[in-house]
Amino acid sequence: MDPLTRIRAICLELPESGERASHGSPTFFVRGRTAFTMYLEDAHREPGATIWCPAPEGVQGELVDAEPRRFFVPPYVGHRGWIGVRLDVDPDWDEIRGIVRDGYRRVAPKKLSALMD
């Protein structure tokens, strides 16, 4: 299964999530308004497939420091704590699912986040 198909399945299983292009890339939104995952290929000096997601406070630095081959600070949104994940470097799909779900929780209304438990 290609990475976009996997990411799409992970994102669209979340309550009231949807997909549309944003800046030319597949982007996943809560209630059509707030982005929680962006999927990019060969963009912004990152070869291959990547995702960008909001991360809980402090997680971005921990992941980038621990595994800089897999994780990076994405441009434009990195200063807000978003994490970049390279999908062509030994992807752990359970971990990626957790990163996407954490990103969703960061931006979704509490009532929707509660439906995930």
Side-chain angles (χ1 to χ4, degrees), residues 26-95:
T27 304
F28 300 89
F29 294 84
V30 178
R31 292 186 172 163
R33 291 188 302 260
T34 308
F36 68 92
T37 301
M38 296 179 67
Y39 177 89
L40 300 101
E41 287 193 30
D42 300 318
H44 304 287
R45 299 185 185 156
E46 288 294 331
T50 64
I51 59 168
W52 302 357
C53 298
E57 191 170 326
V59 169
Q60 179 197 72
E62 290 174 16
L63 292 175
V64 172
D65 289 346
E67 295 186 69
R69 285 189 58 235
R70 290 182 57 217
F71 301 103
F72 63 97
V73 177
Y76 310 112
V77 292
H79 70 280
R80 292 187 294 170
W82 284 50
I83 187 72
V85 183
R86 294 180 183 98
L87 300 177
D88 59 349
V89 180
D90 192 29
D92 175 339
W93 289 103
D94 289 332
E95 179 183 44

Side-chain angles (χ1 to χ4, degrees), residues 3-29:
L4 178 55
T5 301
R6 284 179 178 243
I7 293 300
R8 184 173 282 131
I10 291 168
C11 290
L12 295 179
E13 73 185 12
L14 299 171
E16 296 189 43
S17 64
E19 175 185 354
R20 73 172 186 271
S22 179
H23 305 321
S25 297
T27 304
F28 300 89
F29 294 84

